[in-house]
Amino acid sequence: MKNVIVAQSGGPTAAINASLAGVIRGAAESGKIDRIYGAVYGITGVIDEKLVELGSRFPAESEAWKRLYGTPSSYLGSCRFRMPSPEEDPSVYEKVFAVLEKYETEAFFYIGGNDSMDTIAKLAAYGKEKGSSIRFAGVPKTIDNDLVHIDHTPGYGSAAKYIAATMLEIAHDTYVYRKPCVTIVEIMGRNAGWLTAAAALARNEYNDAPQLIYLPEVPFSGTKFLEDLKKQLEKKHNIVVAVSEGIRDEKGNYITSSDAVNDLFSHAQLSGVGKTLEQLVKKELGVKCRSVELNILQRCAAHISSAADLRESEQLGRAAVGYVLEGNTGFMSALERVSDAPYEISFNMAELSEIANLEKSIPADWISPEGNDVGEKLMAYMRPLIEGEVPVAFRNGLPEYESIGHLTGL
Amino acid sequence: MKNVIVAQSGGPTAAINASLAGVIRGAAESGKIDRIYGAVYGITGVIDEKLVELGSRFPAESEAWKRLYGTPSSYLGSCRFRMPSPEEDPSVYEKVFAVLEKYETEAFFYIGGNDSMDTIAKLAAYGKEKGSSIRFAGVPKTIDNDLVHIDHTPGYGSAAKYIAATMLEIAHDTYVYRKPCVTIVEIMGRNAGWLTAAAALARNEYNDAPQLIYLPEVPFSGTKFLEDLKKQLEKKHNIVVAVSEGIRDEKGNYITSSDAVNDLFSHAQLSGVGKTLEQLVKKELGVKCRSVELNILQRCAAHISSAADLRESEQLGRAAVGYVLEGNTGFMSALERVSDAPYEISFNMAELSEIANLEKSIPADWISPEGNDVGEKLMAYMRPLIEGEVPVAFRNGLPEYESIGHLTGL
């Protein structure tokens, strides 16, 4: 028997099941794999031997497979588990390899972000040292788009499309009143501004919202922010601001809420940037102001996924299987940009060692000189990633997704 | 010349432009109207004589008309203007009637909620007293679904569909982890729970979230809420709670945030219910908890409008024109439910006098006996209102809406 095991880790996205569908399809179509198992709850599902057979449940291109492809959140569940080093805890490695061997595993695929790539790197290194023939591949995933060695990450395009579409609709909503009003939209992104930058894609012939964009890559100054706003309010009634949850001041402190709110939380809380700025605007400018936090909808709104994103997510899952069957191990399937317009990418394998420890920020020359907007290079980079719509089946007025939660027993 | 004027008022929705499209189409197809004017910024656009010709801009069934039909937010802008009584300020009435007469107006249509119906009632009464032949019609609109004398209001179905779809996607998002977690979703609705109740539509064969629903119609008790949650957490890891922004305690006080947060605001702030309960759960149950506020996205997410809602909104606009041309004045076009399944409605005219002063709450026997869920009658009422999808054209990866904001000069 030659089997494979696949698992998902980290936060759920609209595209992570497309990558799972890609691994399943790649393994099935190779003709070289007998069984495709899914580990439930990430690597902990391997340790606990919580495995389900996926190949017969999702024959490639079947209705169930297509539904899985477009279903938000991790079908196999997830975990937040930091893999110890073999020196720290060899028993974890022994357990994982024992289960992999018991299931006659040819290869293990881990779909996830930085931490998951760290896990894959460690397992691959351990296997190599022990002379194991089991191969290990990472399949990238994170809406944050902050992985290095890959042009952009699966999940980012769909989140960007949701953010841009929502920003356009919020802009519509702001246009109706005569009274000056500032709308602050708080967008995910702790250290990198890729998601917040996507709000700029909402601009078109009639809409120039968001007029201001604040990214974590640029130190944030409240004084400068109020000046920026005042200038904008001289030009028009309704101003929309896109702001990253992760903006920090010159000293590197998060712009979280006022002292009163800080008292409520024991540690720096990555929410409330929108509310904080809302209070600042009301107090200092005396203008009507409201804040909107896009929250977890950014990662789970599969009813408006990017077709480009889901297509590439599936391809990256499939590519990982192909690379493994060619004899590779200890890599992450990745993609490179060949050109922006026409949009063209190529697939390759990325070195794992740096992925877990580095985060990719927006390059300084992709941000406007004033630091309150995106530049054209960034726009050209983002545009193709939200292209295309994924057909969503509706039943009883709602999207019809693959049933989820029964594996995870919820 | 026989002309009509139409205006929009109150908060924008995903369906209010469908009603505008209905008035335009009704007037154009009647063959009895020469010009269709739109007043910009509601009734204040009449007072200020800020009128635009709409008939040639949106020929019925043209591409522009179809785009307007599905475009979120008020194309003509809006206002928050409380019409004084003629005794208080006769000059407002004199000004309105002078403009209506100048434009040889046969009828004035006002698309809006309670306040707009109050305006229409006052104008109709004033006209009648002065012997004017100008007719006045209200066209209903409010996502809150709280108007009396109508089965349900335009805008509600689309908001309900957005809420239910989003709730389903949030449920997917919660299913991935093993660790117990409570997700609180705060939904609009100050005095009526119709929008929050729509979250229940997300339930299906595999999803029973939201497991708990708290409506403003039922006095809220923190103790009972924690008991409810504890019971649910015995059954499963991940609990989703839908809660209305307008829930109040037994004394009628809003459950706004803790004292610390109250200090930040000068008056009862209708946001933060989610955050307040989040803190309560963390403190009292020691379980992971997060809150999500759906915010203005509920009223502007036209990319997932209800086809039933937009169809009826257009029909109500068209019906108002028909009733006016039959000689009626001082009414609101309305609809009655004939049956839930198969879904059937009939159109009629509603008496305006009570609409402005009454709010329709959910009947007590449509809520579960425990007060923490909806009943089957309410489910049967809501189900048909989210049925059907409106085809949305996409360009550059985003919905292509009718250009908005140029009229309102923003």
Side-chain angles (χ1 to χ4, degrees):
Chain A
M1 295 283 277
K2 283 183 167 186
N3 305 323
V4 297
I5 298 181
V6 56
Q8 297 169 309
S9 185
T13 75
I16 189 168
N17 288 329
S19 292
L20 176 62
V23 171
I24 295 171
R25 179 173 161 202
E29 290 184 350
S30 73
K32 296 175 179 167
I33 303 297
D34 295 308
R35 289 224 176 122
I36 306 155
Y37 293 104
V40 180
Y41 293 126
I43 189 72
T44 66
V46 178
I47 295 169
D48 300 343
E49 211 178 320
K50 196 162 164 49
L51 301 173
V52 288
E53 205 274 316
L54 294 173
S56 57
R57 201 185 286 240
F58 299 109
E61 302 286 350
S62 67
E63 280 308 308
W65 184 91
K66 285 180 195 161
R67 214 162 42 234
L68 176 68
Y69 178 90
T71 292
S73 185
S74 310
Y75 178 77
L76 293 169
S78 179
C79 67
R80 299 254 186 228
F81 178 80
R82 185 148 182 88
M83 194 77 183
S85 70
E87 294 74 42
E88 278 175 87
D89 189 355
S91 74
V92 172
Y93 289 81
E94 285 153 19
K95 181 70 194 163
V96 168
F97 276 79
V99 173
L100 294 180
E101 275 154 25
K102 177 175 169 188
Y103 284 83
E104 301 179 55
T105 308
E106 181 90 350
F108 176 67
F109 300 92
Y110 211 20
I111 311 172
N114 319 51
D115 289 348
S116 313
M117 296 311 125
D118 181 64
T119 299
I120 278 293
K122 283 172 173 158
L123 288 170
Y126 181 89
K128 197 173 275 182
E129 200 191 296
K130 299 287 175 191
S132 166
S133 67
I134 301 168
R135 277 159 256 167
F136 295 89
V139 181
K141 174 261 14 161
T142 171
I143 63 165
D144 292 328
N145 197 38
D146 59 357
L147 295 189
V148 295
H149 298 317
I150 185 166
D151 179 72
H152 57 276
T153 56
Y156 172 63
S158 292
K161 189 185 183 91
Y162 173 80
I163 289 164
T166 299
M167 179 56 74
L168 178 61
E169 292 174 336
I170 289 174
H172 270 248
D173 195 274
T174 65
Y175 278 139
V176 302
Y177 291 115
R178 242 197 275 227
K179 213 179 153 190
C181 178
V182 174
T183 304
I184 295 168
V185 183
E186 179 182 328
I187 299 171
M188 280 182 171
R190 242 168 292 201
N191 300 317
W194 302 105
L195 289 168
T196 304
L201 295 167
R203 294 178 188 150
N204 60 26
E205 295 80 356
Y206 65 88
N207 173 48
D208 62 357
Q211 286 81 14
L212 296 167
I213 298 177
Y214 297 96
L215 307 166
E217 282 83 354
V218 182
F220 183 83
S221 149
T223 316
K224 173 71 165 56
F225 165 64
L226 291 171
E227 275 166 27
D228 290 350
L229 255 187
K230 268 190 261 178
K231 263 189 228 166
Q232 291 291 336
L233 285 164
E234 279 165 21
K235 287 187 267 180
K236 55 198 331 183
H237 302 318
N238 292 302
I239 305 301
V240 183
V241 179
V243 60
S244 162
E245 62 173 351
I247 54 166
R248 270 159 289 190
D249 63 20
E250 289 82 358
K251 292 178 194 151
N253 298 317
Y254 287 113
I255 314 290
T256 40
S257 215
S258 67
D259 291 341
V261 172
N262 277 334
D263 287 344
L264 296 174
F265 302 104
S266 54
H267 59 95
Q269 177 80 7
L270 282 180
S271 84
V273 174
K275 272 271 172 257
T276 307
L277 297 186
E278 178 190 323
Q279 289 160 35
L280 186 69
V281 171
K282 283 174 174 168
K283 186 164 167 268
E284 298 295 330
L285 301 186
V287 71
K288 192 187 160 192
C289 186
R290 60 185 177 179
S291 60
V292 179
E293 190 188 345
L294 297 192
N295 219 305
I296 54 169
L297 311 179
Q298 290 160 84
R299 68 187 192 195
C300 61
H303 71 271
I304 189 165
S305 292
S306 153
D309 183 31
L310 264 55
R311 185 180 61 240
E312 292 171 357
S313 300
E314 194 270 341
Q315 287 171 331
L316 282 162
R318 205 144 34 98
V321 178
Y323 293 133
V324 152
L325 292 177
E326 288 166 10
N328 298 289
T329 185
F331 67 90
M332 178 183 86
S333 62
L335 39 83
E336 246 179 310
R337 177 93 50 138
V338 179
S339 88
D340 290 333
Y343 178 58
E344 210 185 313
I345 51 163
S346 69
F347 292 84
N348 59 22
M349 285 182 284
E351 181 51 55
L352 282 173
S353 58
E354 289 183 332
I355 293 175
N357 304 309
L358 289 178
E359 282 180 329
K360 185 174 68 180
S361 300
I362 300 177
D365 66 333
W366 287 21
I367 300 171
S368 75
E370 274 223 65
N372 57 12
D373 202 349
V374 300
E376 176 50 32
K377 277 184 193 166
L378 180 46
M379 292 298 284
Y381 167 87
M382 294 188 295
R383 273 188 205 107
L385 308 184
I386 66 164
E387 278 290 349
E389 291 68 55
V390 180
V392 178
F394 277 78
R395 198 164 52 96
N396 301 328
L398 295 178
E400 191 173 13
Y401 295 130
E402 179 61 19
S403 144
I404 202 161
H406 57 280
L407 287 183
T408 43
L410 304 175
Chain B
M1 296 284 276
K2 285 181 164 188
N3 304 322
V4 299
I5 298 181
V6 56
Q8 298 171 309
S9 185
T13 76
I16 189 169
N17 288 329
S19 293
L20 176 61
V23 172
I24 295 171
R25 178 174 162 199
E29 291 184 349
S30 73
K32 294 175 180 168
I33 302 298
D34 295 310
R35 290 224 176 120
I36 306 154
Y37 292 105
V40 180
Y41 292 128
I43 189 71
T44 65
V46 178
I47 295 168
D48 300 344
E49 211 178 318
K50 196 162 163 51
L51 301 172
V52 289
E53 206 274 318
L54 294 173
S56 58
R57 202 183 287 239
F58 299 110
E61 303 285 353
S62 66
E63 279 310 307
W65 184 92
K66 284 180 197 161
R67 215 161 41 232
L68 176 67
Y69 178 92
T71 292
S73 185
S74 311
Y75 178 77
L76 294 168
S78 179
C79 66
R80 300 252 186 230
F81 178 81
R82 185 149 181 86
M83 193 76 180
S85 70
E87 294 75 41
E88 278 175 86
D89 189 355
S91 74
V92 172
Y93 289 81
E94 284 153 19
K95 184 67 193 164
V96 167
F97 276 80
V99 173
L100 294 179
E101 274 153 25
K102 178 176 169 187
Y103 284 84
E104 301 177 55
T105 309
E106 183 90 351
F108 175 69
F109 299 92
Y110 211 22
I111 311 172
N114 319 51
D115 289 348
S116 313
M117 296 310 128
D118 181 63
T119 299
I120 278 292
K122 282 173 174 159
L123 288 170
Y126 180 89
K128 198 174 273 180
E129 200 192 296
K130 298 289 176 190
S132 166
S133 66
I134 301 168
R135 277 160 254 165
F136 295 89
V139 181
K141 174 263 12 165
T142 170
I143 63 164
D144 293 328
N145 197 39
D146 59 355
L147 295 189
V148 295
H149 299 317
I150 185 165
D151 179 72
H152 57 276
T153 57
Y156 172 64
S158 292
K161 189 184 184 92
Y162 173 81
I163 290 164
T166 300
M167 179 56 76
L168 177 61
E169 291 173 336
I170 289 174
H172 270 249
D173 195 274
T174 66
Y175 278 140
V176 302
Y177 291 114
R178 242 198 276 229
K179 212 179 153 190
C181 178
V182 174
T183 303
I184 295 169
V185 183
E186 179 182 329
I187 299 170
M188 279 183 171
R190 243 167 291 198
N191 301 314
W194 301 105
L195 289 168
T196 303
L201 294 168
R203 293 177 188 151
N204 60 26
E205 295 79 357
Y206 64 88
N207 173 48
D208 62 358
Q211 286 81 16
L212 295 167
I213 299 177
Y214 298 96
L215 307 166
E217 281 84 354
V218 182
F220 183 85
S221 149
T223 316
K224 173 73 164 55
F225 164 67
L226 292 170
E227 276 166 25
D228 290 350
L229 256 186
K230 268 190 260 178
K231 262 189 229 166
Q232 291 292 336
L233 284 165
E234 281 164 20
K235 286 188 269 181
K236 55 195 336 181
H237 302 316
N238 291 303
I239 305 300
V240 183
V241 179
V243 61
S244 161
E245 62 173 351
I247 53 165
R248 270 159 289 192
D249 63 20
E250 289 83 355
K251 293 178 194 152
N253 297 318
Y254 286 111
I255 313 289
T256 40
S257 214
S258 68
D259 291 343
V261 173
N262 278 333
D263 286 344
L264 296 176
F265 300 103
S266 53
H267 59 97
Q269 177 80 5
L270 282 179
S271 84
V273 174
K275 271 272 172 257
T276 308
L277 297 185
E278 178 191 322
Q279 289 160 33
L280 186 69
V281 170
K282 282 175 174 168
K283 186 164 167 265
E284 298 296 330
L285 302 187
V287 71
K288 191 187 161 193
C289 186
R290 60 185 177 180
S291 59
V292 179
E293 190 188 347
L294 297 192
N295 220 304
I296 53 169
L297 311 180
Q298 290 161 86
R299 67 186 193 196
C300 62
H303 71 269
I304 189 165
S305 293
S306 152
D309 183 31
L310 263 53
R311 184 178 63 239
E312 292 172 357
S313 300
E314 194 270 341
Q315 287 171 330
L316 283 162
R318 207 146 32 99
V321 177
Y323 292 133
V324 150
L325 292 176
E326 288 165 10
N328 299 290
T329 186
F331 67 91
M332 179 184 86
S333 61
L335 40 81
E336 247 178 308
R337 177 94 49 139
V338 178
S339 88
D340 288 334
Y343 177 57
E344 209 185 310
I345 51 163
S346 69
F347 292 84
N348 59 20
M349 284 181 284
E351 180 52 55
L352 283 174
S353 59
E354 288 182 331
I355 293 175
N357 304 308
L358 290 178
E359 283 180 329
K360 186 174 68 180
S361 299
I362 299 176
D365 66 333
W366 286 20
I367 300 170
S368 74
E370 275 223 62
N372 58 12
D373 202 349
V374 300
E376 175 51 30
K377 277 184 193 167
L378 180 46
M379 291 298 283
Y381 167 87
M382 294 189 295
R383 273 188 205 107
L385 307 184
I386 67 163
E387 277 290 351
E389 291 68 53
V390 180
V392 177
F394 278 77
R395 198 165 51 95
N396 301 329
L398 295 177
E400 191 173 12
Y401 294 131
E402 178 61 20
S403 144
I404 203 160
H406 57 281
L407 288 182
T408 44
L410 304 174

